[in-house]
Every structure is written in C-alpha cells, then in structure tokens.
Amino acid sequence: MLEPPSPQPGWVAEIIAVGSEMLTPTRLDTNSLFLTEQLNSAGVEVAGKRVVGDHRSRLEDAIRHAMAGAPVVILTGGLGPTEDDLTRDAVCTALGIGQSLNTDVIAAIEARFARLGRTMSANNRRQAMVPDGAEIFENPHGTAPGLWIQRDGKVIVMLPGPPGELKPMVERSLMPRLRLLLPAMHLATRRFRVARMPESELDALIAPVYTHYANPATTVLAKVGDIEVHLRARSSTLDEAERLCQEVGAKIEELLGTRIYSSNGDPLETVVGHLLQSRGETLAVAESCTGGLLGGRITDTAGSSAWFRGGYIVYHEDLKRDLAGEFDGSPVSEAMALRLARAARERAQSTWAISITGYAGTGGEEPGTIWIGIAGPDGTAAQRFQFFGERARDRALATQTALDLLRFKLL
C-alpha cells in the first residue's frame, strides 16, 4: 500500500461536483453540503468547491488545481455508463496512471441487473474500469463503485452522483477510511445571528476582536435583514477547540449584546417561539403586504402550534376595515397598524399580535414604507420603517423586523 499523506495541522479538502446538469438553473449540487458536514465532523475543513460540466480537459484542469491546494480531493458524479461520464478518465490523465477492467466489479453489476430481472447492457462495463492502485468502495445501492486513490501524499476519491448512493457510501466507506489517516484534529463551531444591523456596522464593531485570531477562523455572512457570524476553531482535542471558540465568542457576545438573537444558529422565528412558550404566551398576526409570509415562517417551526394561534391576511382595503373596523385614515398608516394588531389579538384571543401593512416594492403612494404594530398585555405600539422599494426584499425585511421587535418586547 502507498504511504498515507503526511499528517499536517488544518487538513483541508476540495470537492468537485461533476455534471453539466448542475450548471443549469434547475439542478443544485446538494452532495457537497452533505460531504462538508461529514468532513467537518472529522476536523477537515473544506477549502473549495466547484461544479464542472462534462468536459474532459476542464475536468482534468480542475483536478490538478484542487490537488495543488488540498491533500484530499473528492469528486462526485461522472461514474456512470455513458460517454459523458468522464470522471475516471480525467482522474487517470491528471495523475498519469492507467485503468483496467475489474472482473469483480463486472460480476457485481451483472448480479444487480439479474436481481432486477434485467440484462446488463454492454456500456455498463465502463463502470468496472478501475484506475491503477485504486481501492474499491462497494455500492449496494447502485452500479458504479466508489474509488479511493492514494498517490504522492494526496487522497483522491471518486463517488457516485445520486445522493441515495453517495450518502451511505460516505458514511460506510469513505469516512472510516479517511479517519485512519487523519491526525487527531477536532473542529468546534459557534454561529451567532443578528437581525437588523448593517453588515459594515457589525464588522466594524467585532473586527478588532476576531482579526487578532487565526484560530478560530471567523466568517461574516449577510442575508436580507440577517447576519451570521461563524467561528471555526481547530485543535488536537475537542476541549481545546471549544475553549478557543468560547474565548472569541464571549468577546463578540459582549460587544453585540442583545443584538444577538441566536448563538446556535436557530432562526428568529424559532427563538421567538421559545420565548413565548417559556412564558406560556401566544401570538397572532395580521398581514397585508406580506401576504402570509410571516405566518408561513412561524408555522415552518416545529411545535409552533403550542404558541401560534393563527393569522389574518388582509390584503385588500375592504378586508383591513373588516378586521380593524371602519375609520377615515389611510390603509397604510400608524392608525391602521395599531387597529389591526389590537383586532388580531382580540379576535384570536392571543397574548400578543403583530400587524404589518405597507407598500412593498415600487407600487403604492410611498414605495418601501412599512408600518408594523405590536399589541400585547402592556398596550399597542406601531413603528414606521422605510425599506428599499424592492418587493421581495421589503417583504422579507418586514417579517424579520416584526419578529425582532417582538423579541425585544419579550426580553
């Protein structure tokens, strides 16, 4: 057997997803997410991911590039029986090795076809081509075996593309085999989430802390109305990795305070639900421009029936007035937000109620203007927000803002 790669701190891997179908707008590379989770659990950082179409020379270049930067390279897909399944050929060319037909693999493929009452077509013999020096991972869920190659201090792994074949192969064959080579290395993570804070403002606040540390590594990710701060610490022991995360995490928590709504990655609707449930309280919503988006987020949370009473979608002005009662004011106003929140709370018999009314997107008298009302045991209040006049973004910001306003009330 070839010598294993030399143990090195901070092992990294690169993932190459092979298949032109994943370069279309209808298919996603979900295998790499599963692989990343599995590798991280063994202390391996994923340094790069890429999708390469069914193009031989481009795939060869991608393999060489990945091998230059990582001791572990994992390819998914391109191991099937057709002419556009090029992974084995590209790997052999990139490594400068040959391949040959493996009779044991042919026998396994033929047996699988026989169990299904079918005759194996000749092109399935391509799946039995095995690179020189490769180890075979059996595939009881399909016909293409996985392949493992150790060469020149590198590990190159080829896995079938269908998730139903790849996932059990990773768990049963790849990870146990990989762990035999890995140095004792553990990965600890922290994931803070902050709502309604500009990314630049947040980074200016916490950068003086995290830039002093190479370990843990810090990543700031921004989404609409939501920022995530990821810490990833590596060490030879899990306790030390956790200590490193805690040291930096505590300093970040001190700076951000109650702006942090989650320290474990939970979304805002889950956090609000936990607060309500711990207090034995309930919530109802009345939505206009968000059209049920807030209620949808809430009911996506498992167990939300314990604290969510329900909601009212009052999109048309007539329905707003049916719920809120007749009055002479604008349907997008502080008065309407207050009346909708009070009416939703009373009608649903909930502890709290949130109302959202406004002009999401470019339509209406004041594009991007949103009023959010909150009714609770201590009365009703409403606040005006000026968003961007972009429909999807305004709607997402409105639900995020409403939940965060309620969170602060509950705190």
Side-chain angles (χ1 to χ4, degrees), residues 41-298:
S41 71
V44 178
E45 188 89 12
V46 175
K49 301 178 185 179
R50 68 182 68 193
V51 177
V52 181
D54 301 315
H55 189 285
R56 173 84 175 258
S57 63
R58 290 175 188 158
L59 182 53
E60 292 168 7
D61 289 343
I63 294 166
R64 293 189 185 100
H65 183 273
M67 289 175 58
V72 179
V73 178
I74 301 175
L75 297 100
T76 66
L79 298 177
T82 61
E83 292 295 327
D84 61 353
D85 288 308
L86 303 170
T87 297
R88 281 178 299 267
D89 298 340
V91 167
C92 288
T93 301
L95 295 178
I97 60 177
Q99 57 183 319
S100 58
L101 192 70
N102 185 289
T103 55
D104 291 337
V105 175
I106 279 286
I109 296 174
E110 289 176 338
R112 179 174 178 82
F113 273 88
R115 288 195 300 272
L116 297 173
R118 298 163 55 193
T119 302
M120 187 190 83
S121 58
N123 62 355
N124 280 280
R125 294 172 66 86
R126 288 172 57 87
Q127 297 179 101
M129 297 297 292
V130 175
D132 296 344
E135 297 178 40
I136 296 169
F137 291 159
E138 293 183 359
N139 183 4
H141 302 279
T143 51
L147 299 163
W148 165 292
I149 301 173
Q150 286 178 221
R151 185 178 178 86
D152 300 330
K154 305 286 184 178
V155 171
I156 299 91
V157 181
M158 290 164 269
L159 301 171
E165 300 177 33
L166 177 140
K167 289 182 179 181
M169 187 179 291
V170 168
E171 293 171 340
R172 185 186 63 250
S173 301
L174 171 60
M175 295 312 299
R177 183 73 180 82
L178 190 59
R179 283 190 174 95
L180 294 176
L181 304 182
L182 293 173
M185 189 66 64
H186 296 269
L187 187 72
T189 62
R190 293 287 297 277
R191 183 180 170 193
F192 300 114
R193 298 185 72 166
V194 176
R196 300 191 296 135
M197 188 175 183
E199 181 184 12
S200 57
E201 182 182 331
L202 179 143
D203 193 61
L205 188 62
I206 68 172
V209 170
Y210 73 72
T211 52
H212 286 290
Y213 294 84
N215 187 23
T218 302
T219 305
V220 179
L221 304 172
K223 295 183 287 186
V224 177
D226 195 51
I227 301 178
E228 296 187 16
V229 180
H230 291 207
L231 304 179
R232 299 181 309 283
R234 314 170 66 88
S235 179
S236 58
T237 68
L238 182 58
D239 284 347
E240 175 63 9
E242 293 283 4
R243 187 196 67 76
L244 289 167
C245 262
Q246 174 60 28
E247 179 180 334
V248 180
K251 294 178 179 180
I252 289 175
E253 284 184 294
E254 184 177 354
L255 290 170
L256 292 174
T258 55
R259 291 175 172 178
I260 295 174
Y261 70 78
S262 172
S263 297
N264 62 0
D266 280 347
L268 190 49
E269 56 269 25
T270 299
V271 172
V272 169
H274 289 160
L275 288 171
L276 287 166
Q277 197 162 7
S278 70
R279 296 159 60 107
E281 296 178 344
T282 56
L283 173 67
V285 299
E287 303 181 61
S288 176
C289 60
T290 50
L293 189 59
L294 177 57
R297 283 185 61 173
I298 291 169

Side-chain angles (χ1 to χ4, degrees), residues 379-396:
T380 308
Q383 191 170 344
R384 181 184 183 275
F385 295 89
Q386 185 61 51
F387 295 141
F388 297 91
E390 300 170 10
R391 187 172 182 79
R393 196 175 181 187
D394 291 351
R395 282 157 49 91

Side-chain angles (χ1 to χ4, degrees), residues 287-288 313-322 331:
E287 303 181 61
S288 176
I313 302 175
V314 286
Y315 201 70
H316 193 276
E317 184 175 339
D318 290 347
L319 291 181
K320 288 187 181 74
R321 296 182 186 279
D322 284 346

